Amino acid sequence: MAVHHEGPGNGAADLAARYASAFAAYLRDRGEQGLGAAYDLGREAVAAHLSVLDLAEAHHAALRRVLESGGSPPAETTLQAAEDFLRESLSTFESVHRGYTEVQEVARLEHDHAQQLRSLADASVAINSSMTVQEILQLTADAARGILAADRATVAVRASSARLPPLTATSPEQLGPGLPDPSRLSAQLMGRGKELGAIDVVDRAGRAYSLRDRAILDQLANLASVAVTNARLYERERTIARTLQRSLRPGALPNVPGLAAAVRFRPAGESIELGGDFYDLFKARDGGYAALIGDVQGKGPDAAAVTALARHTLRAAAEYEHSPSAVLTLLHRALREQRSDDRFITVAYAHMQVAVEHVRLELACGGHPLPLIVHPDGSVDGVGRLGTLLGTDIDPLLADVTVELELGDVLVLYTDGVTEVRRHRTEVFGTAELTELLRTCGGLPPDEVAERVEAAVLAASDGRLRDDVAILAFGPTTQPGERAGILPDGPSTEEING
């Protein structure tokens, strides 16, 4: 049949004429050939994009013409033949509709699966960006419930220690009444060949999970397994690092009769307890005490290693040398002999003799900011003589300066993290601001002086330190010896009133 494309009306008219002719021929012989003609008419109607209504209209017109002609077989026989002919012509439409419905269903399933894979990819990014096991579990539970469109999901893993209860997460976090006779789907979490736990998805009774649902949940379980394993390794390494850092930090300041001292220490960076800044106060030779503060170039573990070397070297050198410049010279040599990374260091080192209401000290500064004395009347004086850096290729130039501290005086030693606070590349707290602040601290004890300096630095930096901060303040006192506690999980704060 030639299909006309001038318009839907022409195609329908042509179909009606040929349908009437084929139907009349079928009524004459009732053979399979006639039914074949009906099938061909239906197929051509589909190809011409005609509707079922067009075919039905052509059929009714042909039947009406036969019945009105009066020369047809009995009406009942004619109607049965008409039904057979129409059914045959419509069979192509039924096949096309069934195929279209199947294609639609396949497309829907493919679209749903694509959405599941996209959600799985988003969950993968979130899960692998998390650093704690509990956060990973919650993200996994939320993803399982959302991707599979389930009523609820639970994830549970064994704790890292057999003495601890399992870690769990549910989605939603607040579970309501359980479903009667629920349908479940589970997947195991495995790590390093051992079972870590499982994901359990629960939905309404009678739900049939597809093979794709199972594959999606297995993939999610694999993602969560890797993330949990990595998070535990990270936590283990972080615990080891924290333990080592604490072992390198100085303990509580010693109880020195006649001396009040306080320290504030804040390393820059999260979960870091020891960086490039360090301090110490310890008993030295000749019945004196050594007080020091230093700063290693850089931050992090490498700087911490130099920090440990410097502290132990200074303590050892103080047993053999009296003058601060000689002690710093020995430190310089040790750095040159034991380090090859060319890291330099700055140190302010004082050797003290503490008497009643009076402290006499010798001070040397190897490239370090000069300490400041806060007098009871609020006046502030810089003391010492600036020397050169330690640990470089050039032998340092160092000088010893004698400093006398009277009752009420407070000597403040600090690192450049105090006086180089910048915001948007502009200095907002420097030496001038520190000096101005200390002028308001006249008559205050060392602990309050150190507290005010620390608070000012944190305020100027909005609490986001870009460099380590260390402050050591001390001065003569008439109070008996007393030792304050040390804060193990936060910034170090120590005070002695002795």
Side-chain angles (χ1 to χ4, degrees):
M1 178 182 75
V3 180
H4 299 281
H5 296 286
E6 291 85 353
N10 291 334
D14 180 65
L15 173 71
R18 295 197 318 108
Y19 192 97
S21 176
F23 180 57
Y26 175 67
L27 288 178
R28 287 192 297 270
D29 57 27
R30 305 288 182 90
E32 289 296 327
Q33 185 176 359
L35 291 178
Y39 178 81
D40 290 340
L41 286 169
R43 187 176 61 183
E44 292 172 6
V46 170
H49 302 292
L50 299 178
S51 68
V52 173
L53 293 178
D54 291 328
L55 193 63
E57 186 178 344
H59 175 77
H60 291 150
L63 178 61
R64 187 167 54 251
R65 183 182 302 178
V66 169
L67 293 175
E68 290 174 354
S69 69
S72 63
E76 182 178 346
T77 303
T78 300
L79 292 176
Q80 180 61 48
E83 181 182 343
D84 294 341
F85 193 86
L86 177 62
R87 182 183 298 110
E88 192 67 25
S89 65
L90 290 177
S91 62
T92 302
F93 280 91
E94 292 176 0
S95 299
V96 170
H97 176 70
R98 184 167 56 252
Y100 176 73
T101 302
E102 291 174 354
V103 168
Q104 275 192 319
E105 180 64 15
V106 170
R108 184 189 67 80
L109 292 175
E110 292 296 333
H111 177 267
D112 291 347
H113 186 55
Q115 289 292 106
Q116 286 181 323
L117 293 176
R118 187 176 295 111
S119 299
L120 182 65
D122 293 340
S124 174
V125 172
I127 289 171
N128 285 294
S129 299
S130 304
M131 299 307 296
T132 67
V133 173
Q134 190 61 53
E135 185 178 5
I136 291 169
L137 297 185
Q138 188 60 56
L139 288 170
T140 302
D142 292 339
R145 176 174 172 244
I147 294 173
L148 298 182
D151 180 72
R152 64 186 63 185
T154 302
V155 184
V157 296
R158 293 193 178 99
S160 55
S161 172
R163 294 172 296 179
L164 299 176
L167 300 176
T168 62
T170 60
S171 182
E173 295 187 37
Q174 300 297 326
L175 295 179
L179 296 173
D181 193 22
S183 178
R184 297 181 180 274
L185 182 64
S186 299
Q188 282 189 333
L189 274 66
M190 302 291 295
R192 293 182 159 185
K194 297 181 180 179
E195 183 180 350
L196 295 176
I199 306 175
D200 190 33
V201 175
V202 176
D203 206 6
R204 65 190 181 280
R207 170 174 175 174
Y209 296 101
S210 68
L211 293 177
R212 286 180 173 177
D213 291 336
R214 296 179 183 277
I216 286 288
L217 193 63
D218 286 340
Q219 291 181 59
L220 183 61
N222 290 337
L223 289 171
S225 299
V226 173
V228 168
T229 301
N230 290 340
R232 284 181 168 174
L233 288 174
Y234 172 78
E235 181 61 31
R236 181 171 176 268
E237 291 176 357
R238 189 170 62 173
T239 300
I240 293 172
R242 187 184 299 119
T243 302
L244 290 174
Q245 289 181 67
R246 288 180 178 175
S247 70
L248 295 175
R249 267 179 47 179
L253 297 177
N255 187 355
V256 181
L259 187 74
V263 67
R264 295 294 189 279
F265 175 67
R266 285 185 177 267
E270 185 179 356
S271 300
I272 296 176
E273 299 189 26
L274 187 66
D277 287 8
F278 61 97
Y279 62 90
D280 210 347
L281 176 62
F282 58 90
K283 191 169 185 178
R285 61 177 300 175
D286 302 330
Y289 286 85
L292 62 95
I293 198 164
D295 187 356
V296 177
Q297 176 197 15
K299 297 184 288 293
D302 289 338
V306 181
T307 295
L309 172 62
R311 285 189 58 246
H312 292 301
T313 300
L314 288 169
R315 280 183 170 253
E319 292 292 327
Y320 300 97
E321 295 289 349
H322 173 84
S323 73
S325 60
V327 172
L328 295 186
T329 298
L330 289 176
L331 172 61
H332 169 79
R333 293 174 183 171
L335 291 171
R336 295 300 303 159
E337 292 172 359
Q338 300 184 43
R339 302 289 301 186
S340 59
D341 53 10
D342 295 325
R343 284 183 182 269
F344 60 82
I345 186 172
T346 70
V347 181
Y349 179 94
H351 183 275
M352 300 182 293
Q353 295 292 337
V354 181
V356 178
E357 300 183 5
H358 178 82
V359 173
R360 185 177 186 274
L361 59 89
E362 289 182 88
L363 173 70
C365 295
H368 200 84
L370 299 181
L372 299 172
I373 296 180
V374 183
H375 298 289
D377 61 359
S379 59
V380 177
D381 294 324
V383 294
R385 186 177 302 171
L386 191 62
T388 55
L389 301 173
L390 307 177
T392 67
D393 292 333
I394 303 173
D395 288 337
L397 297 176
L398 303 168
D400 295 320
V401 175
T402 301
V403 179
E404 305 284 345
L405 298 179
E406 303 297 338
L407 188 63
D409 290 336
V410 176
L411 184 66
V412 180
L413 289 76
Y414 55 92
T415 58
D416 59 10
V418 173
T419 53
E420 294 182 2
V421 180
R422 297 180 180 275
R423 195 185 303 166
H424 305 301
R425 298 184 179 181
T426 301
E427 185 175 270
V428 294
F429 194 88
T431 304
E433 287 76 16
L434 174 61
T435 302
E436 190 62 29
L437 172 67
L438 292 178
R439 289 195 179 106
T440 68
C441 298
L444 296 180
D447 185 61
E448 291 189 38
V449 174
E451 179 70 25
R452 288 196 181 188
V453 174
E454 179 189 41
V457 171
L458 291 176
S461 62
D462 284 337
R464 295 187 294 270
L465 297 176
R466 297 182 180 274
D467 197 2
D468 302 336
V469 170
I471 307 158
L472 177 62
F474 57 85
T477 181
T478 59
Q479 299 299 317
E482 184 177 308
R483 179 182 300 177
I486 185 170
L487 304 180
D489 295 320
S492 174
T493 304
E494 302 155 347
E495 179 184 8
I496 297 92
N497 292 319

